[in-house]
Amino acid sequence: MSDVTNSPAPIRIDVWSDIACPWCYIGKRNLENGLAAVAADEDAPQVEITYHSFELSPDTPIDFDGSSADFLAQHKGISPDQAQEMNDRVAQIAEQQAGLHYRFDLQQHTNTVKAHELTHFAKEHGKQVEMTERLMSAYFVEGRHVGRIDDLVELAEEVGLDASAARDVLDNDHYLPDVRQDQAQARAFGISGVPFFVIDGKYGVSGAQPPEAFTQVARQVWAEHRADS
């Protein structure tokens, strides 16, 4: 029988991402797939994942008047045709690499600060990973609005959170300081783009790396935990 007292502490993975970042959803799925590959190891790493807020376009209105390509063209200073090509390329990568069927034709661009507040509320109730997944799927796959409180409350309820409590905290900006703290920590770490993964507070992994990269780092860091336990 193994000695429980000598079990290593879990690997801590902190993920900075934005609900409206297409690479963040790909990165989330790649992380999950990479960790799934080590779950069958005889000495499978134990992992704790926490998502942190990052706003790529904090000046985006709640209701953007235009298509996904229109938004990208304005934001990047490129033509609508170039923006459409970029969306098509990302959609292809999402489908081929992560099994995600993006629908940029349905996408409703919006400000994501309230969605981030909701993930902090979900964290308090042990459902942050589920809430993050639900928001990203709603935004990229289903074309649902993720910036209005009414819509966010519906999504919160879908993952088992209390609707009235969710509405209350969103109405009162209760978790806005937590969002700002995440953003301040990102600046302190020098994070300028997402997704960004911080492993045990000391290793940084930037971008939507392939699943194999996360598999490798999980095994490496778990071996370090084993050596220190």
Side-chain angles (χ1 to χ4, degrees):
M1 181 179 293
S2 61
D3 186 350
V4 176
T5 60
N6 289 332
S7 296
I11 298 170
R12 193 175 78 254
I13 302 181
D14 293 282
V15 186
W16 271 262
S17 66
D18 192 358
I19 304 301
C21 165
W23 295 105
C24 291
Y25 197 10
I26 295 170
K28 179 180 184 296
R29 191 61 85 245
N30 286 351
L31 171 64
E32 292 164 349
N33 290 337
L35 293 178
V38 300
D41 288 2
E42 183 176 350
D43 180 25
Q46 301 301 304
V47 180
E48 292 178 354
I49 301 172
T50 302
Y51 285 89
H52 298 274
S53 305
F54 193 101
E55 290 180 273
L56 285 170
S57 304
D59 56 344
T60 303
I62 292 176
D63 292 296
F64 175 77
D65 184 18
S67 68
S68 177
D70 292 334
F71 177 87
L72 192 59
Q74 292 180 24
H75 186 64
K76 296 282 190 183
I78 58 179
S79 72
D81 285 345
Q82 288 174 309
Q84 186 61 54
E85 288 175 5
M86 287 180 67
N87 277 347
D88 290 344
R89 175 174 171 270
V90 174
Q92 184 179 33
I93 292 171
E95 186 85 53
Q96 294 177 345
Q97 295 187 9
L100 298 169
H101 185 55
Y102 283 2
R103 289 296 303 274
F104 286 113
D105 57 316
L106 301 178
Q107 196 171 75
Q108 300 183 64
H109 268 279
T110 186
N111 191 290
T112 59
V113 69
K114 286 294 176 188
H116 285 297
E117 290 177 36
L118 183 57
T119 63
H120 283 277
F121 169 68
K123 179 184 176 183
E124 289 291 316
H125 296 275
K127 288 186 175 291
Q128 191 197 39
V129 172
E130 294 91 337
M131 192 74 256
T132 300
E133 173 68 26
R134 188 69 197 94
L135 286 163
M136 288 182 166
S137 177
Y139 184 69
F140 284 107
V141 178
E142 301 163 39
R144 291 178 65 171
H145 204 296
V146 299
R148 297 186 296 241
I149 290 178
D150 285 349
D151 299 87
L152 290 170
V153 168
E154 286 183 12
L155 292 168
E157 198 168 20
E158 288 178 20
V159 300
L161 294 169
D162 182 82
S164 61
R167 185 179 297 278
D168 183 61
V169 297
L170 292 174
D171 279 337
N172 293 290
D173 299 335
H174 184 79
Y175 289 97
L176 183 59
D178 298 271
V179 174
R180 299 304 181 220
Q181 176 58 39
D182 277 355
Q183 294 167 331
Q185 185 62 64
R187 289 192 293 273
F189 279 149
I191 298 171
S192 58
V194 288
F196 196 93
F197 306 83
V198 177
I199 318 296
D200 279 348
K202 58 183 179 179
Y203 301 118
V205 178
S206 179
Q209 300 296 324
E212 296 77 18
F214 294 112
T215 299
Q216 180 179 356
V217 74
R219 285 177 174 146
Q220 173 191 328
V221 175
W222 189 241
E224 293 174 8
H225 281 223
R226 274 292 181 205
D228 293 339
S229 65

